[in-house]
Amino acid sequence: MIKLGVIGTSWITKMFIEAAQKTTAYELSKIYSRTIERGENFLSTLSTNDVSIVTTLSDLYTNIDAVYIASPNALHFEQAKAAIEAGINVIVEKPAFSNPTEFAIIEELLASHPDVRFFEAARHVHQSNFKIIEQTMGELTQLQGATFVYQKYSSRYDAYLAGDEPNVLTREFSGGALYDLGVYPLYAAISLFGTPRAVQYLPTLLRNGADGKGTANLFFDDYNVTLLFGKSANSYLPSEIYGLKETIVISNIAELEEVKYYDGEGNADTISEKVADNPMIKEAQDFADIINDPVAQHEHYNQWFQLAKQVNQTLFDLRQSAGIVFPADELQN
């Protein structure tokens, strides 16, 4: 049983805990929170009570096997670094780190701790419907790119409009649309199409210099992939992958509830499977399989690590193209 500690007390942490428990591979051991009261309030929403609430990383990183990190983006690096130094496996919510400098430091640290595994929690690429999309793409007559859409009005945007500065919408915490919802279509694009030869990001900036929404263009030799994402408006457009005459239509590139294949005559066939109630179960199981048997699962681990590394680099390149600078970039220089 993997003794699990968590950082963060939001809905996504609760979802991962429930997913981990459903795999039966994990045992929730500790919750890290800034205050005991906040941690206890979060614990009261869970179906387990035999859990310690801690307020320091040193207490968290004692007698656990893995930590799930779902704090604000800018805090991921130091928290993951401390975990690896303590010999703890790391599962960090996307995006893992603010820039390639941070990623390189973590990669070097992992090399000196060969028994520790690092994972970026991009849940959709682990789901069965994503594998179906990947397989169907291989059957297209000629691949001609894609348009991926993930735009959802943020629950924190009203606070921003009222004059507040929510962490998720500030550069100080490595936030904004690209480093939140934009990670989903970007992860899908790089996983399915590979590394683009060039990128361009056209953001709509907020008053604080962070991006509220935007369009990212990924340029490949024979086609382009366009990503539309944002936190300041809602979109109900599906995502599409283009063959010659065929098209794969995805209801939501992050949730993957329904996937349809349209042949050259416009006839549609639903090719997706029913999604699990909790979309994080598959990634939690994949991570547990690697932690429990790293030798047998080395190929999968290396594949996901390299994918995370490339996504991190492309996020940075897109930001650079738009002139968006995070304080974390300056701190690492």
Side-chain angles (χ1 to χ4, degrees), residues 140-304:
L140 297 178
T141 305
Q142 177 184 336
L143 196 57
Q144 296 196 89
T147 301
F148 291 161
V149 183
Y150 194 36
Q151 186 162 277
K152 187 165 61 173
Y153 191 87
S154 171
S155 61
R156 303 299 297 148
Y157 199 68
D158 285 341
Y160 164 80
L161 292 177
D164 293 340
E165 295 288 329
N167 294 344
V168 74
L169 295 172
T170 67
R171 292 180 300 113
E172 285 67 27
F173 283 90
S174 302
L178 174 61
Y179 272 62
D180 189 349
L181 299 188
V183 181
Y184 287 99
L186 182 61
Y187 237 102
I190 292 179
S191 183
L192 295 171
F193 293 91
T195 303
R197 59 174 176 79
V199 300
Q200 176 193 46
Y201 183 37
L202 303 172
T204 299
L205 297 179
L206 305 177
R207 62 173 179 265
N208 58 16
D211 52 324
K213 60 185 178 69
T215 301
N217 295 307
L218 311 182
F219 302 103
F220 296 84
D221 288 341
D222 299 320
Y223 49 76
N224 300 334
V225 174
T226 300
L227 315 178
L228 306 174
F229 49 84
K231 297 176 68 64
S232 60
N234 287 315
S235 175
Y236 301 95
L237 293 173
S239 294
E240 297 180 327
I241 299 171
Y242 311 113
L244 188 60
K245 294 181 180 180
E246 322 96 316
T247 305
I248 301 171
V249 179
I250 307 156
S251 60
N252 185 302
I253 196 60
E255 307 303 336
L256 308 177
E257 301 103 328
E258 184 178 62
V259 182
K260 290 186 176 183
Y261 171 79
Y262 284 79
D263 65 18
E265 303 301 320
N267 302 307
D269 182 24
T270 299
I271 58 175
S272 52
E273 300 176 355
K274 186 179 185 301
V275 298
D277 292 337
N278 187 321
M280 302 179 87
I281 294 174
K282 186 60 171 64
E283 69 169 1
Q285 185 63 64
D286 285 344
F287 299 156
D289 290 344
I290 291 171
I291 292 171
N292 287 327
D293 194 350
V295 175
Q297 296 291 328
H298 175 73
E299 185 175 344
H300 282 147
Y301 174 69
N302 187 61
Q303 174 188 344
W304 290 323

Side-chain angles (χ1 to χ4, degrees), residues 50-66:
D50 190 19
V51 177
S52 300
I53 309 297
V54 298
T55 57
T56 67
L57 289 182
S58 58
D59 286 339
L60 176 66
Y61 295 152
T62 301
N63 197 31
I64 63 169
D65 304 308

